[in-house]
Amino acid sequence: MEDILAHESELLGLVKEYLDFAEFEDTLKTFSKECKIKGKPLSKSACGSLRDSKSLIIQRDLLAAFDSGDQKMFFDLWEEHVPSSIRDGDSLAQKLEFYLHIHFAIYLLKHSAGRPDKEELDERISYFKTYLETKGAALSETTEFLPFYALPFVPNPMVHPSFKELFQDSWIPELKLKLEKFLALIFKASSTPKLLTLYKENGHSNKEMLQQLHQQLVEAERRSMTYLKRYNKIQADYHNLIGVTAELVDSLEATVSGKMITPEYLQSVCVRLFSNQMRQSLAHSVDFTRPGTASTMLRASLAPVKLKDVPLLPSLDYEKLKKDLILGSDRLKAFLLQALRWRLTTSHPGEQRETVLQAYISNDLLDCQSHSQRSVLQLLHSKSEVVRQYMARLINAFASLAEGRLYLAQSTKVLRMLEERLKEEDKDAITRENVLGALQKFSLRRALQTAMIQDGLIFWLIDILKEPDCLSDYTLEYSVALLMNLCLRSAGKNMCAKVAGLVLKVLSDLLGHENHEIQPYVNGALYSILSIPSIREEARAMGMEDILRCFIKEGNAEMIRQIEFIIKQLNSEELVDGVLESDDDEDEDDEAAARLPFSSWPVGGSSGVPAHCYEGRAQFWTSDEHPGQHLLQAPSFTKVHPERGGGQPCSHRVDGSKIWFRTGISRLFLQRGSQ
């Protein structure tokens, strides 16, 4: 009680200050009267009084500088005390600032008794010209201000008919009145009562802090994964070095006994010591039998690699960018979307690209966290086909990167909009291709997989795949890849079971399609859904085994091996527990249900993967949601689509299957390359 009494005067003062600010005049009178009757101390907030007095001083100084023509003092105070968000974002503030610059530019012409000082006049005109070329350039397309852009180049503005109104006696008083009203409004708005400030800080600052902590957590996880990869590489190199050292010791002991070392053995040892990128070429191009060659090459391989200097990209005004993306013309929107995508896709892989992406995410470029009716994401539903296309391209570029997918997957809002766009596009256009590409990359995330299955996307995919010859290669490959990813989930298999006959017919037709790139994905989908007993029965009834054996006669060794596994699954009588029930919260059931033995190899040896798995050089990646588990990326190829990219070729990197090893069980994921 004593504590309340000690602060009662201040608390009542805060209430009074807020009521006064919100203009609750009758309530304020009643409140003041009741406090007086009860003998409660009612003091005016010290903070409010201090703010009011400070605001009055600033307003007085600005008006004094306006009257005296002190240009430097006025604009120093203007930029210091008028918030940049108002100066740059409020159209009335921009117009007023334009006229204020005109006022100071012609001040000497209006207030000099004789001829004005030429040097000072030239300086003012030059200052005004600089403003027109920089900040004032934004109003150059406004009819009201267009004539004034010629003002710095007119020798005698006083007699020019276009500037007649500027030299009328009423012009300065009217401008000063506008300035006074603007300042009164601005400083009233900025004099926020302490009670409101306390309320805002308690909620808003906590939200901002949580967002910052989340960003820091994401960045820390990314760094930890980078360091983990480096550690694993160093450990592998260390083990390799120990093994080579042991062999060399054995060889030295053998030479003491009179046994000679063969050039082939020396070559094999040296190749093992070189980095992966050099091994294959060195094995055939370097003569290790020549004295000194091996040691020279080894020393050269340890020479530090000079890193290429990657320039820092200039920062962007994201508030203005988003404003132009929402309010600008369709032509401007298309250009901005293209430039933003190119900034991301043409950046150097590594730190520069990560910096660009993090800047996009931290500034919420796509308004994924916004609940406003007008947001950048709404460009997906623009009336302009070009704007829709370039928006879909940008989202697809985001989805090509793990951090980008994490940003887009904060809620299902983006997913729902993409699904709507996919179904509304009535032809196989570039917009639909990019939307489909983004959805396929979204299917790497479990929560989004679940949402897509629940939204019936499998039925849409089956419907368009009924006529594969009407689809572009891009649409066909991404559709089949997305279908396979969704069929890996038990919920997806259950969806397929509802139209089992149609699904089996579509997939069996796709087995014979001339586009051989889709075959592994068709095989994966078939194998996965055949774990459902009802689908197996339907497949047997339609003679699926005979159809599959036809392809065994024509296929290559890998294709034959995959089809044999499918036939084995078809003839299996195994019942999968719970396949007709909905998915639970655990990942384990779905992983076990999605085993693809034709893409599974035992984990063993130093690398964990046999050398014969794929031709070419494999690379290790990590899953979006399981950073502790590894993905093996098969060799990749590149498709060039000259018709995409706004007048210049756009290269689409399409990576092969990624095999996710986990305790000897593999799960096939697809992650196609960036647009």
Side-chain angles (χ1 to χ4, degrees):
M1 190 67 181
E2 291 178 3
D3 190 44
I4 294 174
L5 291 172
H7 299 284
E8 188 175 40
S9 176
E10 186 180 353
L11 289 170
L12 293 172
L14 292 176
V15 174
K16 180 185 175 184
E17 182 193 22
Y18 178 76
L19 292 174
D20 185 33
F21 170 80
E23 298 181 352
F24 289 105
E25 295 176 3
D26 294 339
T27 307
L28 180 59
K29 287 177 184 176
T30 305
F31 177 72
S32 301
K33 183 179 177 182
E34 191 169 352
C35 286
K36 189 174 181 181
I37 292 170
K38 293 184 176 183
K40 301 288 185 182
L42 187 62
S43 62
K44 188 176 180 182
S45 170
C47 294
S49 302
L50 187 63
R51 281 197 300 269
D52 291 343
S53 61
K54 186 179 178 182
S55 297
L56 289 171
I57 293 170
I58 294 167
Q59 290 180 64
R60 188 170 63 244
D61 290 346
L62 279 165
L63 292 172
F66 177 89
D67 291 332
S68 64
D70 191 339
Q71 181 173 257
K72 186 177 185 311
M73 179 183 175
F74 181 89
F75 285 111
D76 284 347
L77 290 169
W78 178 268
E79 291 180 5
E80 182 180 354
H81 298 291
V82 178
S84 60
S85 57
I86 296 175
R87 284 188 279 116
D88 299 333
D90 186 85
S91 58
L92 291 175
Q94 290 175 336
K95 290 179 180 180
L96 178 61
E97 186 174 355
F98 194 98
Y99 282 121
L100 288 168
H101 275 279
I102 294 175
H103 164 71
F104 287 107
I106 63 173
Y107 183 84
L108 291 180
L109 295 174
K110 297 191 70 172
H111 293 83
S112 297
R115 290 178 64 85
D117 182 83
K118 188 175 184 307
E119 187 176 342
E120 188 177 351
L121 179 62
D122 289 345
E123 185 180 340
R124 286 174 178 264
I125 295 295
S126 175
Y127 187 86
F128 179 55
K129 186 179 177 184
T130 302
Y131 166 75
L132 293 178
E133 292 170 351
T134 53
K135 196 174 177 183
L139 298 173
S140 60
E141 296 180 6
T142 308
T143 309
E144 179 185 352
F145 299 103
L146 195 57
F148 300 118
Y149 284 82
L151 181 61
F153 307 98
V154 175
N156 190 358
M158 296 179 71
V159 297
H160 198 284
S162 299
F163 311 124
K164 184 179 178 182
E165 63 171 317
L166 301 179
F167 295 93
Q168 292 178 357
D169 293 338
S170 60
W171 190 77
I172 288 182
E174 288 174 0
L175 180 61
K176 184 176 180 180
L177 183 62
K178 289 179 182 178
L179 177 62
E180 288 173 342
K181 288 181 178 179
F182 176 78
L183 293 176
L185 185 65
I186 289 299
F187 286 111
K188 181 182 178 182
S190 63
S191 301
T192 309
K194 190 174 180 182
L195 187 63
L196 185 59
T197 303
L198 290 170
Y199 173 78
K200 280 172 140 185
E201 286 178 353
N202 188 41
H204 189 65
S205 64
N206 287 344
K207 186 178 178 181
E208 284 185 344
M209 187 179 295
L210 283 173
Q211 288 178 347
Q212 289 175 0
L213 289 172
H214 176 70
Q215 290 294 336
Q216 290 173 8
L217 178 62
V218 170
E219 182 63 21
E221 288 177 348
R222 185 188 65 78
R223 285 199 303 268
S224 68
M225 286 308 305
T226 302
Y227 296 144
L228 182 61
K229 289 176 187 175
R230 291 177 184 173
Y231 167 75
N232 289 336
K233 186 179 183 307
I234 291 170
Q235 189 179 49
D237 289 343
Y238 170 74
H239 290 158
N240 183 41
L241 189 59
I242 292 296
V244 171
T245 304
E247 287 186 22
L248 289 176
V249 170
D250 291 340
S251 301
L252 286 172
E253 290 177 351
T255 55
V256 173
S257 305
K259 293 181 181 179
M260 297 297 293
I261 296 175
T262 64
E264 291 76 19
Y265 173 76
L266 181 61
Q267 180 176 347
S268 68
V269 170
C270 291
V271 168
R272 284 170 61 190
L273 287 171
F274 285 113
S275 61
N276 289 336
Q277 291 82 357
M278 299 174 67
R279 284 179 186 171
Q280 203 163 5
S281 60
L282 287 177
H284 302 289
S285 61
V286 179
D287 181 12
F288 287 99
T289 59
R290 192 171 58 190
T293 301
S295 59
T296 302
M297 291 299 295
L298 284 170
R299 291 189 183 95
S301 70
L302 295 173
V305 180
K306 187 177 180 182
L307 296 175
K308 184 179 178 182
D309 291 332
V310 179
L312 288 174
L313 295 175
S315 57
L316 302 176
D317 185 343
Y318 287 95
E319 288 301 320
K320 189 174 188 308
L321 259 175
K322 291 202 281 187
K323 182 181 176 183
D324 288 342
L325 283 171
I326 294 171
L327 303 176
S329 65
D330 287 341
R331 186 169 181 270
L332 176 61
K333 290 174 184 175
F335 278 136
L336 287 174
L337 290 169
Q338 185 184 54
L340 288 166
R341 174 168 54 87
W342 281 354
R343 183 181 175 92
L344 180 62
T345 57
T346 61
S347 58
H348 293 276
E351 186 177 354
Q352 191 185 60
R353 180 165 296 171
E354 288 171 7
T355 303
V356 171
L357 183 61
Q358 285 302 323
Y360 285 179
I361 293 172
S362 60
N363 288 282
D364 194 17
L365 178 63
L366 300 184
D367 284 336
C368 290
Q369 299 168 358
S370 171
H371 300 288
S372 173
Q373 291 290 333
R374 304 185 74 178
S375 65
V376 176
L377 278 174
Q378 294 298 325
L379 295 180
L380 270 176
H381 300 305
S382 170
K383 293 179 180 178
S384 168
E385 185 179 350
V386 176
V387 173
R388 294 199 306 271
Q389 179 196 135
Y390 279 74
M391 185 63 190
R393 284 173 177 268
L394 180 59
I395 291 176
N396 198 6
F398 265 85
S400 299
L401 302 168
E403 292 294 330
R405 287 193 292 277
L406 182 63
Y407 166 64
L408 295 171
Q410 294 177 81
S411 71
T412 56
K413 178 173 69 172
V414 181
L415 175 65
R416 302 283 188 246
M417 294 183 73
L418 288 172
E419 288 177 338
E420 287 175 24
R421 184 76 268 142
L422 185 70
K423 294 169 184 176
E424 287 173 9
E425 291 288 333
D426 56 354
K427 56 184 179 179
D428 194 17
I430 297 176
T431 303
R432 190 171 80 170
E433 289 182 352
N434 280 273
V435 169
L436 187 59
L439 287 172
Q440 195 279 327
K441 291 155 192 169
F442 277 14
S443 69
L444 294 176
R445 303 197 66 81
R446 180 183 175 85
L448 298 181
Q449 269 185 352
T450 302
M452 283 188 263
I453 294 168
Q454 291 173 349
D455 293 343
L457 195 58
I458 286 178
F459 300 138
W460 184 90
L461 291 167
I462 292 296
D463 189 56
I464 68 159
L465 288 171
K466 286 192 291 189
E467 298 181 1
D469 293 334
C470 299
L471 305 175
S472 67
D473 285 347
Y474 187 98
T475 300
L476 178 61
E477 291 168 19
Y478 273 78
S479 298
V480 180
L482 176 56
L483 177 63
M484 195 207 75
N485 277 3
L486 298 182
C487 288
L488 292 175
R489 295 286 300 280
S490 55
K493 298 173 199 174
N494 295 338
M495 282 289 183
C496 291
K498 296 177 182 179
V499 287
L502 180 59
V503 174
L504 289 168
K505 184 181 182 307
V506 167
L507 290 175
S508 61
D509 289 345
L510 289 172
L511 282 172
H513 197 274
E514 60 184 8
N515 186 338
H516 298 297
E517 301 302 332
I518 66 172
Q519 288 179 352
Y521 317 142
V522 175
N523 293 345
L526 261 177
Y527 182 87
S528 184
I529 64 173
L530 285 174
S531 64
I532 305 288
S534 62
I535 298 180
R536 286 204 300 269
E537 290 176 13
E538 184 74 28
R540 290 167 189 163
M542 65 182 287
M544 178 62 76
E545 184 172 351
D546 293 335
I547 296 171
L548 291 169
R549 292 200 181 279
C550 289
F551 291 107
I552 285 182
K553 298 173 184 176
E554 301 172 3
N556 56 34
E558 183 62 26
M559 178 75 168
I560 291 170
R561 191 168 71 90
Q562 293 178 6
I563 291 177
E564 285 173 349
F565 276 112
I566 297 172
I567 293 173
K568 186 178 178 182
Q569 176 83 312
L570 175 64
N571 294 323
S572 170
E573 296 299 333
E574 223 175 279
L575 288 176
V576 181
D577 293 337
V579 292
L580 296 180
E581 298 173 4
S582 61
D583 289 353
D584 54 28
D585 293 333
E586 296 181 4
D587 290 349
E588 297 294 332
D589 293 342
D590 287 332
E591 289 165 18
R595 299 178 189 180
L596 303 179
F598 53 80
S599 63
S600 301
W601 300 295
V603 180
S606 59
S607 65
V609 185
H612 65 273
C613 290
Y614 277 105
E615 293 178 1
R617 194 175 304 283
Q619 296 176 336
F620 281 95
W621 295 64
T622 53
S623 164
D624 271 12
E625 298 181 3
H626 302 272
Q629 296 143 6
H630 297 293
L631 295 171
L632 173 67
Q633 178 184 312
S636 59
F637 58 91
T638 299
K639 288 194 171 181
V640 178
H641 299 270
E643 74 278 9
R644 302 175 191 161
Q648 63 185 48
C650 177
S651 175
H652 297 262
R653 184 173 175 81
V654 185
D655 291 329
S657 308
K658 291 186 175 181
I659 315 303
W660 173 14
F661 285 92
R662 183 174 182 181
T663 61
I665 298 172
S666 64
R667 182 177 184 178
L668 185 61
F669 277 92
L670 300 172
Q671 180 180 359
R672 312 300 287 270
S674 61
Q675 289 291 85

